[in-house]
Amino acid sequence: MNMKTKHIFLFLAALPILLTSCEKVVDIDETESQLVLNGVPTADKRAFVYFANTRFFLDGSNDHPVNGAQLTLTVNGVPYTPDSVAHSKYFFAPILQAGDSLSIDITTPRGPVHAETYVPLMPDVDNFNIRTYKSPTFNFVQASFNLNDHAGVDEIYRVNVTVRDSGLHYNAWTDAYDTIDTVRNTYFIVRDQAITADNVCPYLPLGGYLYSTLMFLDRNIDGQNHSTQINILQLTDTNEVHPYLHQYMVDVQSVTPARFNYIISSSQQNNMTSFFTEAGEVRGNVSGALGVFAGQASLRFTYDTVTTTPADTVVHRRRH
């Protein structure tokens, strides 16, 4: 029996005891908080960072500022101090550009904090086309585009899909209508070995082709005009009342190696199997604090579809 199997066996053996001992008081050790710096300098966006103390998990407050902290952000050799602060977010004047070089230095009563990064080149995307596609079995939102990779530049790309659902929805449990306006990440299908092969993509897809996010190196497409396609499954909900908005947002990003490592290591800590394995290390690039300071450049493409289910269909169901 290997160590991982032994841990799972011990957990399963102890499960009945845990379930029958719910009334026992848990002794919680509240340890000293640590400094945290998080920043994602983004092309064409104003520069800001989040700098605070970690919080105890039972503490309901969302703001734990570091008293006496002095921040300096240096962009291409020019230093800037914050021009405003809101809930431990420090905002700086510059609007960042692709290729900018950045460093941040923070003096605190507990010691110095330092990190460096850059803003990568903007993804070169053309011929972006997104449409509703109906197969004999399912309906999809299908997005296709060309990715013009910069020759000789080590680039890392990330593709993510967000859906906004907004409108009137019939709730069968309460026999009433709810107004919905939610935003969520969604899975999408990619069948493209050039960007999903093991040598460039660290993600193991669900079912062999479903991704919640996709990051890949450009090794297999360096300097190429690469055409790719993603498909987003459209499920039908007849409780949606016309007009009901489904807005699909496709983000194509370039990210730095530090951001790549941070996202990958964080996802490994949060996947379904991490409960049964020993805790790993979330990889940051900040000295003197936890966190990550890593740049990105992002393009967003938006596509709106509207449910055409007539309102009378739902109203008629309520009458029965």
Side-chain angles (χ1 to χ4, degrees):
M1 180 181 296
N2 60 39
M3 186 61 67
K4 185 181 294 184
T5 305
K6 183 178 180 181
H7 287 168
I8 296 173
F9 175 78
L10 291 175
F11 169 77
L12 295 176
L15 187 58
I17 299 174
L18 294 174
L19 295 177
T20 57
S21 303
C22 295
E23 72 280 1
K24 187 174 182 179
V25 176
V26 178
D27 185 18
I28 298 173
D29 179 19
E30 183 177 355
T31 58
E32 182 182 0
S33 65
Q34 300 184 62
L35 300 175
V36 177
L37 171 66
N38 279 318
V40 186
T42 302
D44 299 332
K45 301 291 185 181
R46 186 183 180 190
F48 77 91
V49 298
Y50 174 87
F51 183 63
N53 290 297
T54 57
R55 69 179 180 88
F56 185 50
F57 79 98
L58 292 181
D59 185 346
S61 173
N62 292 320
D63 192 20
H64 294 75
V66 180
N67 295 327
Q70 296 183 351
L71 287 76
T72 301
L73 177 71
T74 302
V75 181
N76 300 326
V78 180
Y80 298 87
T81 55
D83 56 19
S84 62
V85 182
H87 301 293
S88 299
K89 286 185 178 179
Y90 296 79
F91 295 87
F92 300 84
I95 303 299
L96 301 175
Q97 304 297 319
D100 283 349
S101 176
L102 300 93
S103 64
I104 188 162
D105 290 279
I106 308 174
T107 58
T108 78
R110 296 163 61 180
V113 176
H114 176 79
E116 298 179 2
T117 190
Y118 64 93
V119 180
L121 297 175
M122 189 71 73
D124 186 357
V125 174
D126 63 20
N127 293 332
F128 191 95
N129 181 52
I130 188 167
R131 65 189 180 100
T132 301
Y133 168 73
K134 296 185 178 181
S135 74
T137 309
F138 297 108
N139 294 338
F140 295 92
V141 170
Q142 186 180 83
S144 60
F145 56 92
N146 291 342
L147 185 58
N148 301 303
D149 186 72
H150 301 96
V153 180
D154 291 331
E155 294 184 275
I156 306 172
Y157 297 104
R158 185 187 186 201
V159 179
N160 203 50
V161 179
T162 308
V163 179
R164 178 189 173 202
D165 296 328
S166 183
L168 200 63
H169 188 275
Y170 172 63
N171 188 327
W173 293 99
T174 61
D175 193 30
Y177 292 100
D178 298 326
T179 300
I180 305 297
D181 193 3
T182 60
V183 178
R184 58 183 171 83
N185 286 340
T186 190
Y187 282 90
F188 52 93
I189 298 169
V190 180
R191 298 180 182 275
D192 185 342
Q193 276 296 303
I195 62 176
T196 62
D198 292 343
N199 69 320
V200 295
C201 178
Y203 289 104
L204 182 64
L206 184 65
Y209 51 83
L210 279 170
Y211 295 86
S212 59
T213 189
L214 177 65
M215 285 201 302
F216 57 94
L217 310 179
D218 71 340
R219 292 171 184 165
N220 296 339
I221 61 170
D222 182 49
Q224 299 179 22
N225 184 318
H226 181 74
S227 179
T228 193
Q229 178 179 287
I230 66 175
N231 290 288
I232 309 140
L233 182 63
Q234 268 191 317
L235 299 177
T236 301
D237 185 349
T238 57
N239 288 330
E240 296 169 356
V241 180
H242 176 79
Y244 192 96
L245 174 68
H246 295 280
Q247 185 178 68
Y248 296 86
M249 292 159 278
V250 179
D251 293 309
V252 182
Q253 303 173 339
S254 292
V255 302
T256 60
R259 181 148 174 76
F260 174 86
N261 291 331
Y262 183 80
I263 293 171
I264 293 298
S265 58
S266 296
S267 67
Q268 290 171 346
Q269 296 304 303
N270 295 321
N271 64 32
M272 289 185 295
T273 62
S274 64
F275 186 83
F276 301 104
T277 60
E278 295 182 5
E281 183 181 61
V282 176
R283 299 173 64 183
N285 66 336
V286 179
S287 64
L290 304 175
V292 67
F293 182 64
Q296 71 174 20
S298 183
L299 297 174
R300 169 165 285 188
F301 303 90
T302 302
Y303 176 66
D304 294 348
T305 67
V306 177
T307 297
T308 56
T309 304
D312 290 345
T313 302
V314 178
V315 173
H316 181 72
R317 181 162 53 249
R318 289 192 65 193
R319 291 173 184 158
H320 287 77

